[in-house]
Every structure is written in C-alpha cells, then in structure tokens.
Amino acid sequence: MLCADMTKRLKHFDLELRFSCAPGAITAVVGPSGAGKTTMIRLLAGLERPDSGTIAFGGQIWAEPESGVFVPARKRGLSLVFQDYTLFPHLNIRKNVAFAATDMDRVDTLMDMFGIRHLASSKPAAISGGERQRAAFCQALARDPVLLLLDEPFSALDVATRRNLRANLKELKGELNIPVLHVTHDLEEAVFLGDTIMAVENGQAAPDWLHRQCMLPQQYPTGLSRHAPVRSS
Amino acid sequence: MDWTPLLLSAKLAFWAMALIPIAAAPLAYLLAFGRFRGKSVLDAIVALPMVLPPTVLGFGLLMVMGPRGVAGAAWEELTGGRLVFSFAGILIASLIFNLPFAVQPLRASFEKMDSRLLESAAILGLSPAAAFFRIILPNCIGGLAASSILVFAHSLGEFGVILMVGGSIPGKTQVASIAIFEAVEAMRFNDAFLMSATLIPVSFAVLMIINKLNARRP
C-alpha cells in the first residue's frame, strides 16, 4: 500500500495531496496541465523531495522531511514510465528491457506480450515511437517493481498503439498485484483503466473537476473525495 | 636531423591523451551534474591553466614539484628520483595544463545528455557511480574522444610549462617545440623547418578528427 500525505511549494501554488493506493488497483490521476500531477509522480519516485509530510510504502517511510528520512529513487524498487520513452540509446531493445531485470524468462515473456521480440537487437533510434514506448513499458515491468508510476505514457502515441498498450496494461493489472498510479489527460482512458480516479487541480485534490469537465451536475456520483480516492462506480 | 624530440613529443602527447580522462571525466561530471557549495570556485580552478601565462603555471608547478615542494618531496620519498627535469614531471605538468581543455568539451557533452536518462537509471536502481560508467560514458563517447584528441594535439605544441618544469634535457625532456626553439636560436633552420613541417600535418589531421567527432557528439 502506498500512502502519501505531502506538500511541496511550487511556483504558482502549493502542492498538497493526501491519498493512498492499494495493490492490484490502478489509480488514474486526471487534471489540467500544470496542476502538479508530474510533480506528484516525481515526489513519489524520489526524484524530488517533499517540503513536508510523509510518503510511505508497505510500512517503510520513503520521505519524511520532518524526521530527515529520504530514500533515494534507486532504493525504492519502483518503476516509472515517462510521457516519452527514456530508453538508453547505446543499448539494444533487449538489453534495455533486461536492464534492471532479474528474471530473463520474464523479459522474453514481456517482449512477446508487447510484440517487440523481433526488435530485440535493434537500437532505440531505429524503431518507431510506439515501439519505443512498448519497450519502455517492458523495461519498467521486467524489474518486478513494487509500485508502477505512469506519467502520461500514452499521450504521444497513435490511437491504435494507445489502445493496444491500454489493453496490455489492463491485462497485466491483476497479475502484477502492485499499486499503479496512472497520470493521464484523457478522461476516457482514466475511466477505462482506473479503479479509482483522482482529480488534481492547482496542486490540490479537486473532486468537482471531473464534473466541470464532463458538464455533469454536482450530485453525479463519481466517487471522488477531497482527501482520499474512492473506488469509482 | 635528430628525431628524438619529435618522438618524445609523441610519447608525451600519447600518455597525456591516455591519462587525461581519469582526472577530466569525474571533474566534468561534478561540474555538469553536481549541486554543491563551491562549484563555481572549482570551475574557476579547473579553468585557471587556460588563462594563466604558461610560465606562471610552470613556475608554480616548479615550486610544488621541486625537491622542496610538497609533490616533489613525496615523489622523491616514493621513487628516490626527482620529479622536475624528468619525463614523469613534464607528463604531470602537461596533464595539469591540459585539464581545462579536456574538461570543457567533456562537460559540454555531459550537459547535452537527456537528464531523464539519468533519472531513469536512478529509478532502475543504478547508483550515481554506476550510472556514470554504464550510462553517461557510453553515451558521451564522442565527447570523450574529442577531449582526449584535443589534449593530444595540445600536448604536441606545449612549450612554456614544459620548459619550466622539464628544462631541455635531450632524450628526456627536450620535446619538439623546445627543440625547434633551440634550433632557431642556433640558426639550424633546416632542422627547425623539418620538425615544424612534421608537426603541421599531424596537428591538422588531429583537428579534422575533432571536428568530425564534434559533429557526432555527444
């Protein structure tokens, strides 16, 4: 279980979020551009430090400025897929996927599942953007992460590739049995993938944001709350 | 004509080129990615040999590397020999003199790298040291080669620092640039011309290689 109650001073507002994510569930995080979603992901990943509060995973505190605790990104055992792939250019696709993997069979299985086995010996520069993003997913999953963070991983992809990757992710969800936090701009994607939807606006949980986006009346049940995401209906 | 000074220059340039990454790469990493107090001071210290007159740098090194200097005394204690007026001495002086010329292109190459690759490496469990060897260096091989070759070319033409630290001992510290100077002083223009004519195409070829590498960087 991931539990976060954190604040971070940003240029235009303070990020203040409190939420938890359960294993085996996808929490879709939606909100306008510049709402603080990526900062939230970076804080959880250990790429930035919160100003106050606590980020804890499975009973272990990852970050707590008040007590001086900060577990660096490399020791958190999580995976993060960025908006645009970050494969290592000097390694071929198989070596990229296997970069942090412990089980080579798992590497092959994932490459088969994501349809990139035939690209094993290709360098990232030689394949398409969609193929690179599939490889980035395989790399993230091959290390058997304790937490999967996805920062708009489908936004730069064409519709067909996006649909395939979404299906792959949904298929893997049960097998992974880890918390997945998925930041997206796409409400349809959030509804399709998310067990829980959390809206963020100006660094705060914004339960009414979805209503405003969908022009829904305020009483429409989206299952959102200010402090903790609630399973969507 | 005695070819020894040219061979000695080539030997000095080769060793400077081979050894400079050991000091330049970590310094370039610190200056490119480090966030620490005193970074601008370190930056200025590393760049200092670039702006100091070679004789001033050479004099400073002579003081430190001489028998009564810290480095010179330690060297004598360790090896029994003197550091100044030796090949090891001019090599160390050459490395110090060349440091900024190696650090600057390497640092530029590191800074050109997509910083998310390093974040990705950290998330995938790599320590900063492991990321340096497994991610940064392989992706900046062009910058590394360009900086080493620049040092090679620069070492071939060194004069002031070498003269101050090594003097002009034939076969030991008398490199081509010093031999050319002495040949001109002694009015042996043929020797000076032949040595210069050998250095010019070598330097030109080296610059062509650097240009090619720079076009392909990082």
Side-chain angles (χ1 to χ4, degrees), chain A residues 1-5 19 44 54-63 147:
Chain A
M1 171 82 87
L2 169 73
C3 299
D5 179 358
F19 60 91
L44 296 174
T54 304
I55 300 170
F57 185 88
Q60 188 201 3
I61 293 176
W62 276 355
L147 167 68

Side-chain angles (χ1 to χ4, degrees), chain A residues 60-77:
Chain A
Q60 188 201 3
I61 293 176
W62 276 355
E64 194 173 66
E66 285 81 0
S67 55
V69 176
F70 182 76
V71 177
R74 69 176 191 275
K75 292 187 176 165
R76 294 193 182 189

Side-chain angles (χ1 to χ4, degrees), chain A residues 201-220:
Chain A
E201 192 175 24
N202 291 328
Q204 316 275 326
D208 59 335
W209 187 82
L210 261 186
H211 288 98
R212 281 185 271 127
Q213 291 303 302
C214 305
M215 309 282 278
L216 298 172
Q218 284 292 326
Q219 68 273 21
Y220 192 85

Side-chain angles (χ1 to χ4, degrees), chain B:
Chain B
M1 193 195 81
D2 182 12
W3 291 94
T4 315
L6 276 170
L7 293 174
L8 196 64
S9 277
K11 184 180 161 188
L12 178 70
F14 170 80
W15 281 110
M17 177 182 76
L19 296 176
I20 200 82
I22 297 170
L27 276 170
Y29 175 85
L30 271 179
L31 293 171
F33 303 115
R35 284 184 206 164
F36 56 93
R37 200 176 290 175
K39 185 175 166 179
S40 57
V41 176
L42 178 68
D43 197 0
I45 290 171
V46 170
L48 204 56
M50 211 151 52
V51 291
L52 273 181
T55 43
V56 173
L57 180 68
F59 179 67
L61 289 174
L62 193 61
M63 293 293 101
V64 176
M65 291 161 71
R68 276 180 275 174
V70 183
W75 180 270
E76 214 164 312
E77 183 78 25
L78 212 71
T79 64
R82 286 208 168 169
L83 192 52
V84 284
F85 309 119
S86 70
F87 181 77
I90 59 170
L91 177 59
I92 291 170
S94 179
L95 288 170
I96 292 168
F97 182 55
N98 275 302
L99 202 56
F101 298 95
V103 169
Q104 296 303 342
L106 206 47
R107 179 185 179 176
S109 178
F110 289 172
E111 284 171 345
K112 256 184 167 178
M113 247 187 80
D114 185 350
S115 61
R116 288 171 317 156
L117 288 180
L118 296 180
E119 291 183 342
S120 199
I123 287 166
L124 291 171
L126 250 58
S127 66
F132 177 71
F133 288 107
R134 289 183 63 187
I135 307 297
I136 296 173
L137 285 186
N139 281 294
C140 296
I141 206 79
L144 189 66
S147 100
S148 293
I149 293 169
L150 185 65
V151 166
F152 181 89
H154 208 240
S155 300
L156 280 180
E158 264 171 48
F159 182 78
V161 177
I162 302 292
L163 191 64
M164 295 293 277
V165 174
S168 177
I169 305 169
K172 210 170 168 190
T173 61
Q174 191 193 54
V175 292
S177 55
I178 295 170
I180 291 168
F181 176 74
E182 290 185 349
V184 173
E185 260 198 335
M187 300 185 74
R188 288 184 284 110
F189 292 120
N190 267 352
D191 287 353
F193 173 76
L194 277 173
M195 278 191 276
S196 304
T198 312
L199 281 178
I200 289 168
V202 173
S203 301
F204 182 76
V206 165
L207 283 177
M208 290 298 289
I209 294 169
I210 292 170
N211 285 344
K212 290 246 177 214
L213 286 168
N214 279 339
R216 283 175 44 191
R217 266 206 272 162

